[in-house]
Amino acid sequence: MIDYDVVVIGGGLAGFSSALRCIERGLKTAVVSHGQSAMHFSSGSIDVLSHSPTTGEAVSNPFDEIAELAKTSSLHPYAKLGEKRVFESLSWFQQLMSKHGLPLKHQGSLDNHYRVSSLGTLKSTWLSQPYVWQLDQNFSALNQINRIILVSIEGFRDFQPEIAKAKLARLPMFADKELLTVKITLDTSGIAQRNCHEFRSIDVSRLLRQEADFASVCSQLRQVATPNDVVLMPSILGNGDGLALMEKLAAETHLKFHEVPTMPPSLLGIRIEDTLRRAFIEAGGALHIGDEVTHGVFKQNGDQLSLACLYTRKMRTVPINTKFVVLASGSFFSKGLKAEHHKVSEPIFDLDIEDIGGRESWYSKHFFSRKSHPFMNFGVSTNREFKPLKAQQCIDNVYCAGSILAHYDPIAHGCGGGVAISTGFHVADAIAESQESACYAQKLSHSQQPNQSQKKGALV
Ligand SMILES: Cc1cc2nc3c(=O)[nH]c(=O)nc-3n(C[C@H](O)[C@H](O)[C@H](O)COP(=O)(O)OP(=O)(O)OC[C@H]3O[C@@H](n4cnc5c(N)ncnc54)[C@H](O)[C@@H]3O)c2cc1C
């Protein structure tokens, strides 16, 4: 039998944010995580709110818009938290990442910034890694550079600089900028012999750990770029090394870099997950990686429904006992939600799902419509404290966080990272407070109980 204060189901951005906050609040915490999280596929920048859920318009300052959500989209997770709490959670996250070697930055104005994507489009986001070139909303950063050099590696298919260049050239703010594409070469014979189709960012990062290859890249870059240019290159450094190699590259070449996420695996996203995982283990958390929570046993006490214990695929009949659970198992992408032809369900606890209507209303007819596809907003029903419902009854000791929640579209509204961090952080605090008040109540009842000698009526 294993006992914890909190078990977090899911090792994505929401799960680790919640678990790290639980540990900080003194709770004995475990994470059970099944597979890769959405971070392996992400840009590694944290989107807080790029587009208004109400109007669909681009948002300048996400916190101003979040303050309005209580009036216009009261079920949105941000509306339940309020802008101050969202800001507090993101500041906490920033400090945590910084402490563990991955500083994330935002604009001094607290406005969103643009980053150039691997396809040469501009994406609005809020927190980015140090080698992501932040373009403010007036594009004033463009005045400080001469040229944009788009670099890729010969034979590497997951970033095509010509496509990015063609797209960038069509944007009016880049009209007077010289855009240049360059291919650099690496000795990839070892990889080609193994499997010529498997030349991914991870393989390049492994090659670039070797001194000779790294030095060759530095020298080729120095020949094509100057410190007045921006070198836009795929994220190919630092699988498991954090920022160390990017820092070394910048120091040895004196160039200004902009890392773009490649096709998955995305090293920018993996860097965040690695950092969170390391921080969690260093803080004393228990990580059940590669295991999967299959179901739980519930107990009904009067009108109170609570979860008694959990079972996992690997531990089979051995239950995990826990006072609280944070369900952060993600959306359809991570199997936190399951879609069948006419039904959407939550597979672990069979929780209630928000009303989704008939299948014909699940999606917009136009795939690339700027409006959100309704299915992206599907998720579990929760009360204002993010406690889920099961057969319309609130579960007292379970909380939900991240993309399993209903009523927001992480992609269309650019708020996936922000909702994951802020809901994870918030539910951890709610658990800590509920645990503290339970302890206080227990102490109080003990101190009010007559001691043995009093019970027997003895004179003290
Ligand atoms: C492809 C993609 C790219 C994205 N890019 C960005 C981006 O660049 N920036 C941004 O801000 N947002 C991005 N998002 C939005 C994304 O939803 C959030 O940023 C966030 O990462 C979601 O985190 P999460 O922890 O809720 O879920 P997830 O990251 O999906 O993690 C859920 C975890 O739970 C595990 N799990 C599921 N079931 C079980 C079980 N039964 N037992 C144990 N573990 C289980 C899964 O294996 C997974 O590891 C992206 C989303 C997708 C799908």
Side-chain angles (χ1 to χ4, degrees):
M1 187 95 73
I2 307 173
D3 285 283
Y4 294 108
D5 291 327
V6 187
V7 171
V8 177
I9 307 174
L13 191 54
F16 274 125
S17 297
S18 201
L20 279 155
R21 182 64 174 169
C22 282
I23 292 198
E24 232 176 64
R25 300 283 313 248
L27 299 161
K28 187 179 169 194
T29 308
V31 169
V32 182
S33 194
H34 178 208
Q36 284 181 338
S37 74
M39 279 186 276
H40 286 244
F41 302 79
S42 85
S43 67
S45 286
I46 305 294
D47 305 339
V48 175
L49 192 62
S50 67
H51 287 81
S52 161
T54 325
T55 62
E57 297 292 317
V59 162
S60 294
N61 181 312
F63 303 98
D64 290 347
E65 185 66 24
I66 292 170
E68 292 299 306
L69 283 181
K71 294 176 220 151
T72 53
S73 314
S74 64
L75 296 172
H76 194 291
Y78 281 158
K80 294 181 182 176
L81 296 173
E83 79 280 14
K84 288 202 181 78
R85 192 82 178 126
V86 176
F87 184 73
E88 187 190 345
S89 65
L90 289 160
S91 305
W92 166 83
F93 185 77
Q94 230 184 324
Q95 275 172 26
L96 177 90
M97 297 301 277
S98 213
K99 187 174 148 203
H100 290 276
L102 189 59
L104 301 169
K105 294 183 201 144
H106 56 73
Q107 294 281 300
S109 60
L110 303 187
D111 283 350
N112 283 320
H113 61 266
Y114 293 107
R115 61 173 178 85
V116 180
S117 76
S118 53
L119 293 175
T121 53
L122 294 179
K123 295 278 180 202
S124 174
T125 188
W126 196 71
L127 269 182
S128 285
Q129 297 185 26
Y131 296 98
V132 171
W133 185 34
Q134 297 199 9
L135 292 163
D136 61 25
Q137 291 177 14
N138 299 319
F139 297 98
S140 53
L142 279 173
N143 302 332
Q144 294 150 25
I145 59 142
N146 283 349
R147 304 177 299 172
I148 299 168
I149 319 278
L150 298 99
V151 175
S152 193
I153 312 272
E154 198 66 62
F156 180 64
R157 301 179 196 177
D158 290 348
F159 171 62
Q160 298 297 334
E162 289 296 340
I163 296 177
K165 179 186 164 188
K167 192 83 187 171
L168 274 182
R170 270 187 255 143
L171 296 173
M173 48 290 217
F174 287 84
D176 64 344
K177 290 290 158 208
E178 190 181 341
L179 305 168
L180 206 73
T181 60
V182 171
K183 287 250 165 115
I184 55 179
T185 53
L186 268 180
D187 177 9
T188 56
S189 48
I191 291 176
Q193 268 168 17
R194 189 166 47 94
N195 181 349
C196 62
H197 303 293
E198 279 302 317
F199 185 38
R200 321 307 294 261
S201 52
I202 301 245
D203 301 298
V204 185
S205 77
R206 197 180 318 123
L207 280 182
L208 292 179
R209 280 204 200 113
Q210 297 164 23
E211 270 302 325
D213 290 308
F214 185 81
S216 160
V217 167
C218 290
S219 138
Q220 292 180 62
L221 287 173
R222 275 194 299 260
Q223 283 167 31
V224 294
T226 74
N228 294 327
D229 303 324
V230 164
V231 176
L232 189 153
M233 62 174 232
S235 179
I236 46 172
L237 283 164
N239 179 29
D241 310 312
L243 283 175
L245 280 181
M246 270 316 291
E247 279 162 355
K248 191 172 166 197
L249 186 70
E252 294 204 0
T253 58
H254 302 288
L255 296 175
K256 182 174 172 53
F257 289 98
H258 171 57
E259 285 186 280
V260 292
T262 60
M263 296 284 282
S266 160
L267 287 180
L268 280 155
I270 290 174
R271 242 180 239 157
I272 296 200
E273 186 174 291
D274 280 351
T275 308
L276 288 170
R277 187 181 295 189
R278 201 167 8 93
F280 181 68
I281 292 169
E282 275 173 25
L287 192 54
H288 298 242
I289 203 80
D291 202 356
E292 180 184 2
V293 176
T294 49
H295 64 289
V297 172
F298 289 87
K299 62 174 183 234
Q300 184 85 48
N301 193 353
D303 57 2
Q304 198 181 47
L305 178 66
S306 55
L307 186 77
C309 64
L310 294 170
Y311 288 89
T312 74
R313 187 168 44 81
K314 282 189 180 166
M315 311 262 288
R316 296 164 69 103
T317 52
V318 182
I320 302 182
N321 278 348
T322 179
K323 292 179 191 143
F324 297 93
V325 164
V326 176
L327 182 63
S329 49
S331 183
F332 302 105
F333 189 74
S334 295
K335 300 192 180 144
L337 293 177
K338 187 171 155 207
E340 289 161 80
H341 202 69
H342 290 289
K343 188 180 153 204
V344 170
S345 58
E346 185 286 305
I348 306 175
F349 302 127
D350 193 22
L351 300 175
D352 295 354
I353 298 292
E354 280 296 311
D355 186 18
I356 57 172
R359 188 184 161 84
E360 61 294 343
S361 64
W362 289 7
Y363 54 90
S364 313
K365 293 269 179 303
H366 303 287
F367 185 77
F368 291 110
S369 157
R370 294 204 55 185
K371 278 183 73 182
S372 168
H373 282 278
F375 75 86
M376 292 295 288
N377 295 269
F378 292 174
V380 297
S381 303
T382 57
N383 68 7
R384 296 208 71 81
E385 295 170 279
F386 300 104
K387 289 183 180 176
L389 307 182
K390 184 173 167 63
Q392 298 186 359
Q393 206 182 346
C394 176
I395 308 173
D396 204 47
N397 58 346
V398 178
Y399 292 80
C400 296
S403 53
I404 194 165
L405 293 167
H407 301 297
Y408 79 103
D409 183 335
I411 307 298
H413 305 142
C415 60
V419 169
I421 293 165
S422 56
T423 53
F425 173 87
H426 181 79
V427 301
D429 274 358
I431 289 172
E433 275 144 35
S434 139
Q435 172 84 337
E436 280 158 17
S437 48
C439 287
Y440 179 71
Q442 212 173 11
K443 268 190 201 152
L444 202 67
S445 80
H446 281 179
S447 68
Q448 283 170 352
Q449 266 171 21
N451 63 30
Q452 286 307 315
S453 52
Q454 283 170 323
K455 274 187 197 163
K456 285 175 193 156
L459 286 172
V460 182

